[in-house]
């Protein structure tokens, strides 16, 4: 195709081992064709079919999990620093393929190339983080109340970790979970979004060399590329998987959490966000505008951390509104691999319909569309997935504003007092990411205090979108409460055990209880 030749997409496919028809099952070192129907991967950039995948079925999945269970018995015995060394090599291998993998992410998902490269960099970064973590799986020691007793706690591997990732981050979310799980001694079964299966296949092609060279047991890192037609609730209900990390919508996450909880399994739920930025009169407006625009239109508004609401003090409201509209009117929308593009397409036509429906609801509920809100047509936009990002004036209580619209739709809301701004900020069901732009120390400290933002992430003078892997990532309320990536998120991938050792010939009971036989 002309588009592919222009951006050398096929050359990237060759480097990544992507074929016209691809096997949908990998146990780390071995590939197998799924026994389900072939599924076509379609690019929202130009509407072209990229390649096909032989989908895995439920029966295939069970074979993979049996292999994973067997591999866990071997993998957990390997010292954690040795597991970390394999992760280090995976990071080095990802560095070699950063450009072609970033290009595939961009082409199959629709985010611009710079964001595709950034996503692969996140994978590299978490590998580096996990290598260090492999030597820091610390427990605590405690003083016993009983004479000649020692107490401590330690962490053991869980077993199989199921990773269910969403389309908007086709590879990074898998890496956040998998690299930590591997150093913790777990094995992984990955079910990626059926909209971006080629990205997952490419990742497994990249890491397979490292796994083979290090003689990693078959079944430590597994891929089940399929759609919900063949595998859905069965994964969440599988008692052989002690932990599932699910990234997706709040609606599906609640169902998944219920199924996992009903069998008393562990869940990391990374669900919806309705992220806001409070802009005070003491803000650096130039910085605020840059952060708002990237947060609102980056990935075409399809990040869980995308900026959805701007809560602006009345004294600067009109000025900031006019500046944002002016910037929006200059945004270049086009092919995600074009270096001049700032906003690529949405993932598919269904996402576009949801966007248009949300705009209709804004109007019906009393809001005003200030700019944007149309679908791009003409040469270069044949896929039907390109939209013009919109800005709307609304009230925070509108039902549509209370929802997460996974699209480039930005809401402007006016406030008078800081207390009102924080109340508006927190008055949504979701609680993922938040930010304030202000150079006033009293304002910023109040926003970060227990009476401030109720989100899992709270930033000052940076936007809501984009997070470093060094910090724990996740949110509260309808966002699910899970944490991934940095800080002490590793503990979710292990089971804690408290140990007490008596090195005397007496047997004193705790709490001074007397019990004589």
């Amino acid at each position: 195709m002309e588009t592919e030749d222009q951006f050398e997409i096929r050359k990237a496919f060759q480097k990544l081992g992507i074929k016209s028809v691809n096997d949908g099952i990998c146990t780390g070192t071995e590939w197998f064709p799924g026994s389900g129907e072939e599924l076509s991967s379609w690019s929202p950039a130009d509407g072209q079919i990229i390649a096909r995948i032989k989908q895995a079925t439920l029966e295939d999945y069970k074979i993979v999990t049996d292999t994973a269970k067997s591999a866990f018995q071997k993998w957990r015995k390997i010292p954690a620093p040795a597991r970390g060394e394999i992760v280090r090599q995976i990071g080095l291998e990802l560095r070699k393929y950063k450009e072609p993998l970033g290009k595939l992410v961009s082409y199959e998902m629709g985010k611009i190339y710079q964001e595709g490269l950034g996503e692969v960099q996140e994978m590299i970064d978490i590998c580096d983080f996990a290598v260090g973590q492999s030597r820091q799986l610390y427990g605590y020691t405690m003083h016993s109340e009983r004479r000649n007793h020692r107490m401590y706690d330690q962490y053991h591997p869980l077993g199989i970790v199921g990773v269910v990732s969403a389309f908007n981050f086709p590879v990074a979310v898998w890496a956040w979970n998998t690299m930590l799980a591997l150093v913790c001694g777990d094995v992984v079964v990955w079910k990626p979004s059926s909209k971006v299966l080629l990205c997952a296949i490419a990742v497994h092609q990249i890491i397979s060399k490292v796994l083979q060279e290090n003689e990693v047991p078959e079944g430590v890192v597994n891929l089940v590329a399929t759609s919900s037609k063949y595998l859905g609730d069965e994964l969440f209900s599988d008692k052989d998987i002690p932990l599932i990390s699910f990234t997706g919508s709040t609606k599906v996450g609640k169902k998944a959490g219920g199924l996992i909880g009903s069998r008393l399994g562990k869940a990391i739920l990374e669900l919806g966000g309705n992220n806001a930025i409070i802009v005070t009169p003491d803000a650096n407006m130039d910085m605020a505008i840059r952060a708002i625009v990237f947060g609102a239109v980056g990935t075409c508004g399809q990040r869980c951390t995308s900026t959805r609401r701007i809560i602006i003090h009345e004294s600067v409201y009109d000025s900031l509104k006019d500046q944002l509209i002016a910037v929006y009117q200059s945004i270049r929308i086009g092919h995600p691999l074009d270096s001049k593009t700032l906003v690529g397409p949405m993932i598919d036509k269904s996402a576009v319909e949801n966007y248009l429906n949300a705009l209709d609801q804004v109007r019906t509920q009393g809001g005003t569309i200030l700019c944007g809100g149309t679908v791009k047509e003409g040469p270069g936009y044949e896929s039907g997935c390109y939209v013009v990002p919109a800005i709307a004036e609304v009230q925070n209580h509108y039902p549509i504003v209370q929802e997460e619209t996974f699209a480039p739709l930005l809401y402007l809301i006016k406030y008078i007092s800081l207390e009102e701004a924080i109340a508006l900020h927190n008055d949504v069901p979701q609680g993922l990411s938040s930010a304030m732009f202000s150079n006033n120390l009293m304002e910023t400290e109040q926003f970060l205090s227990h009476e401030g933002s109720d989100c899992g992430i709270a930033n000052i003078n940076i936007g809501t979108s984009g997070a470093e892997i060094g910090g724990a990532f996740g949110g509260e309320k309808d966002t699910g409460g899970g944490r991934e990536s940095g800080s002490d998120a590793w503990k979710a991938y292990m089971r804690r055990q408290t140990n007490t050792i008596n090195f005397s010939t007496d047997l004193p009971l705790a709490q001074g209880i007397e019990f004589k036989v």
Side-chain angles (χ1 to χ4, degrees):
M1 292 294 175
E2 182 180 347
T3 300
E4 295 174 356
D5 292 336
Q6 179 184 356
F7 299 111
E8 297 185 328
I9 296 171
R10 289 293 161 184
K11 185 180 293 186
F13 293 169
Q14 291 173 359
K15 291 180 180 178
L16 296 169
I18 299 297
K19 308 167 186 174
S20 58
V21 180
N22 300 271
D23 291 340
I25 303 168
C26 184
T27 54
T29 54
E30 300 290 338
W31 286 90
F32 306 95
S35 52
E37 296 178 359
E38 289 186 359
L39 180 69
S40 294
S41 178
W42 178 87
S43 172
D46 55 20
Q48 300 297 320
I49 292 177
I50 309 172
R52 299 193 302 278
I53 302 97
K54 296 179 179 178
Q55 293 186 85
T57 63
L58 179 59
E59 289 70 27
D60 298 326
Y61 161 79
K62 291 177 179 178
I63 294 172
V64 170
T65 53
D66 285 343
T67 305
K69 281 193 292 184
S70 177
F72 173 62
Q73 306 301 319
K74 305 170 186 175
W75 181 246
R76 65 181 178 178
K77 295 179 182 179
I78 297 173
R83 300 193 295 256
E85 167 58 19
I86 294 169
V87 169
R88 185 187 71 84
Q89 292 178 38
I90 290 175
L92 293 177
E93 202 68 12
L94 286 169
R95 284 172 168 87
K96 298 177 185 177
Y97 291 91
K98 179 177 177 178
E99 292 186 6
L101 183 56
K103 186 170 288 188
L104 175 59
V105 167
S106 177
Y107 187 57
E108 188 177 29
M109 185 267 147
K111 63 177 64 175
I112 63 173
Y113 183 44
Q114 282 298 312
E115 291 187 88
L117 293 175
E119 182 167 350
V120 181
Q121 186 61 48
E122 281 193 69
M123 303 175 77
I124 295 167
D125 291 344
I126 195 63
C127 286
D128 291 350
F129 182 92
V131 173
Q133 192 68 71
S134 69
R135 294 181 181 270
Q136 300 179 86
L137 303 176
Y138 298 138
Y140 291 102
T141 59
M142 292 77 73
H143 287 271
S144 174
E145 66 185 60
R146 290 172 281 188
R147 187 185 299 271
N148 295 328
H149 281 59
R150 180 167 65 90
M151 293 179 63
Y152 67 95
D153 61 23
Q154 61 180 332
Y155 291 83
H156 296 302
L158 278 174
I160 300 176
V161 173
V163 178
V164 181
S165 58
F167 74 84
N168 58 335
F169 280 86
V171 293
V173 170
W174 168 83
W176 288 0
N177 287 276
T178 299
M179 299 310 140
L180 288 183
L182 290 180
V183 299
C184 289
D186 300 318
V187 300
V188 176
V189 175
W190 182 18
K191 182 186 181 296
S193 165
S194 59
K195 298 179 181 181
V196 285
L197 294 181
L198 294 179
C199 289
I201 290 169
V203 166
H204 272 259
Q205 293 280 14
I206 292 169
I207 69 172
S208 61
K209 178 183 176 182
V210 174
L211 301 179
Q212 291 170 359
E213 290 178 347
N214 287 275
E215 298 181 348
V216 173
E218 182 183 0
V220 170
V221 189
N222 304 276
L223 170 65
V224 180
T226 191
S227 63
S228 57
K229 174 180 179 178
Y230 293 110
L231 182 63
D233 293 353
E234 299 86 358
L235 173 61
F236 303 127
S237 302
D238 193 342
K239 293 182 179 180
D240 288 331
I241 302 186
L243 170 66
I244 291 180
S245 174
F246 172 84
T247 302
S249 69
T250 297
K251 178 181 179 181
V252 179
K254 286 181 176 180
K255 181 180 181 182
L259 292 170
I260 297 167
S262 67
R263 60 178 175 85
L264 300 181
K266 297 176 66 176
I268 298 173
L269 300 176
E270 299 289 357
L271 311 178
N274 198 342
N275 316 296
I277 298 177
I278 297 175
V279 182
T280 81
D282 289 310
N284 181 319
M285 294 301 169
D286 289 339
M287 287 177 57
I289 289 169
R290 292 201 302 272
I292 291 167
V293 174
F294 174 73
V297 307
T299 322
C300 205
Q302 297 170 115
R303 292 185 178 213
C304 53
T305 55
S306 289
T307 305
R308 310 288 178 198
R309 298 173 295 139
I310 308 300
I311 303 170
I312 312 166
H313 191 268
E314 60 176 356
S315 65
V316 295
Y317 181 88
D318 289 336
S319 173
L320 184 59
K321 176 180 71 174
D322 291 343
Q323 291 180 73
L324 284 172
I325 292 172
V327 172
Y328 264 55
Q329 290 173 341
S330 67
I331 290 173
R332 182 182 172 101
I333 303 165
H335 196 288
L337 291 173
D338 186 332
S339 61
K340 297 178 182 178
T341 295
L342 289 181
V343 177
M346 301 197 73
I347 185 65
D348 55 26
K349 293 180 181 179
S350 175
V352 173
E353 288 300 316
N354 290 336
Y355 174 56
L356 297 176
N357 179 60
L359 291 165
D360 286 341
Q361 291 187 57
V362 168
R363 298 183 185 97
T364 301
Q365 293 169 21
T368 302
I369 307 301
L370 300 175
C371 68
T374 57
V375 179
K376 298 285 285 186
E377 297 179 347
Y381 305 114
E382 290 85 356
S383 69
C385 297
Y386 291 89
V387 302
V388 180
I391 299 176
E393 284 185 310
V394 298
Q395 297 295 317
N396 198 67
H397 66 268
Y398 292 173
I400 187 60
V401 178
Q402 293 286 306
E403 299 176 8
E404 178 191 39
T405 298
F406 221 54
L409 173 53
L410 182 65
Y411 299 124
L412 303 187
I413 302 166
K414 189 182 297 184
Y415 81 90
I416 299 174
S417 69
L418 182 59
E419 288 71 23
E420 179 192 8
I422 292 174
L424 288 168
H425 174 280
N426 293 343
D427 189 22
V428 291
Q430 309 83 0
L432 179 52
S433 187
S434 61
M436 171 185 278
F437 273 81
S438 174
N439 292 324
N440 183 315
L441 181 65
M442 295 179 68
E443 289 181 335
T444 59
E445 288 299 317
Q446 184 173 347
F447 181 71
L448 297 178
S449 74
H450 53 268
E451 61 182 273
S453 168
D454 63 359
C455 294
I457 299 169
N459 299 325
I460 300 296
N461 295 329
I462 62 172
T464 65
S465 184
E468 298 181 28
I469 58 89
F473 180 89
E476 302 300 324
K477 302 190 293 186
D478 276 5
T479 301
R483 293 296 186 274
E484 295 172 332
S485 195
S487 186
D488 66 347
W490 64 270
K491 292 181 179 179
Y493 303 85
M494 305 194 80
R495 58 182 178 88
R496 176 183 289 196
Q497 183 181 81
T498 301
N499 306 115
T500 306
I501 301 165
N502 178 0
F503 54 95
S504 74
T505 56
D506 295 327
L507 190 63
L509 300 178
Q511 295 85 46
I513 295 174
E514 295 288 340
F515 187 80
K516 296 182 181 180
V517 179

